[in-house]
Amino acid sequence: MNNLLVLPILIPLCTAVILIFFKEKLQLQRGISTVSGMLTILITLLLVSRAHNEGILTLQMGGWAPPYGIVFAGDMFALLLVAAASIVSFAILLYSFSSIGEKRERYYYYTFFHFLQVGVYGSFLTGDIFNLFVFFEVMLISSYALISLGGTRLQLRETSKYLLINIVSSTLFVAAVAYLYAAVGTLNMAHLSQRIAEAGQGGVLNVIAVLFLIVFSLKAGLLLFFWLPGSYSAPPSAIRALFGALLTKVGLYAIIRTFTLMFVNDSGLTHNLIAWMAAVTMILGSLGAVAYKDIPRIFNYNIIISVGFVALGVAAGTEDSLNGAVFYLLHDILAKGLLFILGGLIISAAGTDRLGGMGGMIKKYPLIGWMFFILALALVGIPPLSGFAGKLLIIRGALDAGMLTLSLIGLGSSFMVLYSLIKVFRLAFWGSEPEKEQPAVSLKGASAVAAGLLLLIIAMGIGADTLNAYVSQASDVLSSPAQYIQAIMKE
Amino acid sequence: MELVMALAIGILFTIGVYLILTKSLLRIVLGTSLLTHGVHLLLLTMAGLKNGAAPVLGKEGNYVDPLPQALILTSIVISFGVTAFFFVLAYRSYQTLGTDEIDSIKEVKE
């Protein structure tokens, strides 16, 4: 029992509710949001260090012992993700002070921002599959509000699509939960894992597993990503950063949790399916990243490539590749957040999001240019930076599992990431300035935030050994679910 | 009873999917709403229909599983909220874009 575990959900929840009452007081809203963001980071770091010393933290709601009550489970994997998510969302919060605009701030932007945090942290921490659905919905409803906030024509159109896709996938989620409850009669994930292992994962359970895979893939953008590039382009860049950094990762987290804990007994079917979905995702994502010439779409296809890459690590399922998947996921949360913040800075400096209308920005904004360049190297996985360790481990794990073709596709997608980002760098920062007068904007505050995140990414790369102590603890639990089950079901 | 429920669920799903595939945004909203109703019935049926005494009262013997009701209640509340949001969104799109046909919304440029 560890009551601290509920605080990452409680703090943003209370903040969101308090902010509703200060609709017109923008400075106060910003102040409260900042304090709450810092508090969340402190709490999650404390939780990570506790889990490092004491193993998996659990909290039984209302003292009801599992499998009857609702359990919150903070294993290292979940807690590391919560920590990374809270850091990156704090950075995005600071960035949105200068970029989101007073009108949106007045219409409850920060409230929705914090409700989204509730959903994300809750999805990571819950140990009960129906609660996972509920927290998904909390997150999604806030994201509907954020994506349509402002009500431009493009936003309205894209929200309708996004909303419809997610309603259908949530419906399928409930259907999958219903079938699962009929088949094994429990909803607690640890208990589910036991029961599925006892029943032997036969025909019916395989169908349910694939149904879950479809649902989570829709949310994560694994293969079923057709809605993602359009929907994520519609809102302003701060919200885009939030979505790019967090939303798809929650879907990925759900895939990893389900297919390392519950549906592990017939990996010939399910994990092969994930592997091929990952391969197609990486190929299509690469094509998209190369094909487009506007910044939001190039970045959105980059999200898709990295989703495919993490899924490859899950599919391989060896100790190395799971370790790499956790590593890469942490890196990707931070790096994608930073990528979209820098993208937002470039767009507001150039006054357009088309690469054709940009050029020569390195003279006026050298700092942003070089930060973008270093980040591109980090995303590709150049050694001293944070992407390297994850990529190396995933590829090594996949090769160990005998997936040569898939590893080659994974490596090839890295080159496409490099190509697409260097294309952005070349067209936006080099060459001659366009004839059109560029708007004079001050980007000092936002650049400082970006620099902070970049330092963190560099530190994460250099301190990979230190971090590995935590990450390997997380992947330990993933590769041997018995630990997780034992921690939850013990009392 | 299970057979009747299965048929009802099937019909709800069919009509829901049909409505989602039409052009008008209003029909799509109604379609999603029918779809979620179908899935709630599915949840109820899957967990076992009434085959014993009321739960919690402390009677001896066989009683009904109370969990599905709690799950359905939660799910109904969520789908209520989402449907309300979708209606508002559809109305706002109609105001701003001047149409509720999904095809013509697609062609709208920024």
Side-chain angles (χ1 to χ4, degrees):
Chain A
M1 292 288 268
N2 204 324
N3 286 326
L4 270 184
L5 209 52
V6 83
L7 280 182
I9 299 155
L10 216 53
I11 295 171
L13 184 68
C14 294
T15 315
V17 174
I18 290 169
L19 288 179
I20 295 175
F21 297 107
F22 300 111
K23 182 175 184 250
E24 297 298 327
K25 303 204 170 78
L26 298 185
Q27 287 306 328
L28 190 61
Q29 282 202 37
R30 291 176 185 180
I32 295 175
S33 304
T34 314
V35 172
S36 131
M38 289 200 289
L39 210 58
T40 319
I41 293 179
L42 280 181
I43 294 286
T44 51
L45 291 181
L46 181 67
L47 281 170
V48 167
S49 78
R50 274 214 185 170
H52 190 52
N53 298 326
E54 299 169 20
I56 299 172
L57 308 170
T58 58
L59 171 62
Q60 299 156 5
M61 293 292 163
W64 284 81
Y68 302 106
I70 291 166
V71 197
F72 269 42
D75 65 331
M76 191 47 100
F77 179 44
L79 287 173
L80 280 177
L81 287 180
V82 173
S86 66
I87 290 169
V88 82
S89 56
F90 183 62
I92 294 167
L93 184 78
L94 295 181
Y95 169 59
S96 51
F97 290 164
S98 63
S99 75
I100 201 76
E102 280 197 11
K103 214 175 152 204
R104 284 196 169 87
E105 283 181 319
R106 234 182 272 284
Y107 281 93
Y108 306 108
Y109 168 73
Y110 296 118
T111 306
F112 291 130
F113 186 96
H114 288 288
F115 276 134
L116 188 92
Q117 307 302 315
V118 177
V120 172
Y121 303 154
S123 311
F124 288 150
L125 290 175
T126 185
D128 178 291
I129 198 126
F130 193 78
N131 262 298
L132 184 65
F133 162 73
V134 175
F135 278 116
F136 260 68
E137 288 302 309
V138 171
M139 175 186 87
L140 287 171
I141 293 172
S142 333
S143 75
Y144 305 149
L146 282 175
I147 202 173
S148 62
L149 197 67
T152 63
R153 295 165 83 90
L154 180 70
Q155 278 180 314
L156 288 174
R157 187 188 76 190
E158 293 301 336
T159 314
S160 307
K161 271 201 300 194
Y162 179 71
L163 189 55
L164 183 58
I165 300 281
N166 277 307
I167 290 177
V168 173
S169 77
S170 298
T171 313
L172 289 178
F173 195 170
V174 182
V177 169
Y179 286 130
L180 194 60
Y181 190 66
V184 289
T186 179
L187 293 170
N188 182 303
M189 290 195 214
H191 199 209
L192 272 171
S193 172
Q194 279 181 330
R195 287 268 177 98
I196 290 173
E198 280 165 21
Q201 197 179 329
V204 176
L205 282 168
N206 271 335
V207 172
I208 297 170
V210 173
L211 197 54
F212 271 113
L213 183 60
I214 293 172
V215 170
F216 294 145
S217 305
L218 266 171
K219 315 241 182 211
L222 177 66
L223 188 59
L224 308 168
F225 61 77
F226 48 89
W227 51 272
L228 194 149
S231 302
Y232 281 18
S233 303
S237 47
I239 299 175
R240 224 182 270 153
L242 196 62
F243 285 10
L246 298 182
L247 291 197
T248 52
K249 307 304 180 293
V250 178
L252 264 179
Y253 167 80
I255 291 180
I256 294 178
R257 188 54 96 206
T258 343
F259 288 92
T260 57
L261 179 64
M262 285 152 50
F263 300 110
V264 283
N265 308 305
D266 191 0
S267 58
L269 177 79
T270 49
H271 288 62
N272 265 341
L273 195 60
I274 299 177
W276 288 109
M277 284 168 86
V280 178
T281 311
M282 282 188 282
I283 293 172
L284 293 179
S286 304
L287 291 179
V290 176
Y292 282 96
K293 288 209 159 48
D294 58 327
I295 285 184
R297 280 194 194 256
I298 293 177
F299 289 3
N300 287 338
Y301 278 102
N302 271 302
I303 300 179
I304 294 167
I305 297 175
S306 63
V307 167
F309 199 73
V310 176
L312 175 62
V314 181
T318 63
E319 222 160 287
D320 265 351
S321 75
L322 285 174
N323 203 348
V326 179
F327 228 118
Y328 197 75
L329 212 50
L330 291 178
H331 146 81
D332 207 52
I333 290 178
L334 296 174
K336 281 289 168 348
L338 179 56
L339 182 67
F340 278 89
I341 290 178
L342 285 177
L345 293 180
I346 295 172
I347 291 171
S348 54
T352 170
D353 60 3
R354 308 268 151 196
L355 284 175
M358 298 179 185
M361 279 164 56
I362 198 79
K363 281 184 207 134
K364 266 193 198 163
Y365 307 100
L367 181 64
I368 297 177
W370 294 117
M371 282 200 295
F372 185 81
F373 186 71
I374 296 172
L375 175 67
L377 296 184
L379 278 166
V380 177
I382 304 291
L385 297 160
S386 64
F388 174 67
K391 275 208 168 153
L392 178 73
L393 287 168
I394 289 182
I395 294 291
R396 199 162 73 187
L399 285 176
D400 282 347
M403 299 170 153
L404 182 63
T405 325
L406 294 175
S407 315
L408 287 178
I409 293 174
L411 286 174
S413 77
S414 298
F415 283 107
M416 291 309 195
V417 170
L418 180 66
Y419 175 74
S420 67
L421 291 179
I422 292 302
K423 182 172 78 177
V424 173
F425 181 72
R426 187 169 55 86
L427 291 175
F429 288 98
W430 285 349
S432 53
E433 289 182 45
E435 304 281 303
K436 188 170 61 102
E437 190 68 25
Q438 285 182 340
V441 279
S442 164
L443 302 171
K444 279 214 180 88
S447 305
V449 173
L453 261 186
L454 188 69
L455 285 181
L456 205 61
I457 287 173
I458 295 173
M460 196 180 146
I462 294 171
D465 263 349
T466 327
L467 190 62
N468 197 39
Y470 294 85
V471 171
S472 59
Q473 199 185 347
S475 58
D476 246 17
V477 178
L478 293 181
S479 50
S480 62
Q483 279 182 49
Y484 186 89
I485 298 169
Q486 207 260 329
I488 303 243
M489 306 295 289
K490 65 186 173 201
E491 290 161 62
Chain B
M1 191 60 187
E2 269 81 4
L3 185 67
V4 180
M5 291 294 267
L7 284 175
I9 295 162
I11 291 168
L12 280 175
F13 264 91
T14 318
I15 302 176
V17 170
Y18 173 75
L19 283 176
I20 284 176
L21 295 176
T22 53
K23 281 181 185 170
S24 152
L25 210 49
L26 192 62
R27 280 164 180 260
I28 291 177
V29 182
L30 293 175
T32 59
S33 162
L34 283 184
L35 209 60
T36 46
H37 286 319
V39 92
H40 296 153
L41 284 186
L42 179 76
L43 193 50
L44 190 70
T45 319
M46 276 295 155
L49 293 169
K50 185 167 162 43
N51 52 8
V56 191
L57 282 179
K59 290 228 178 83
E60 292 288 314
N62 188 21
Y63 50 81
V64 177
D65 185 359
L67 192 62
Q69 273 89 336
L71 302 184
I72 292 169
L73 191 59
T74 315
S75 181
I76 285 177
V77 172
I78 289 170
S79 77
F80 165 74
V82 174
T83 311
F85 183 85
F86 207 169
F87 267 121
V88 174
L89 185 77
Y91 183 61
R92 179 70 197 270
S93 315
Y94 173 71
Q95 273 186 326
T96 311
L97 310 167
T99 173
D100 83 327
E101 294 245 320
I102 201 91
D103 277 1
S104 28
I105 294 176
K106 257 189 196 164
E107 285 152 22
V108 172
K109 290 272 159 3
E110 204 172 345

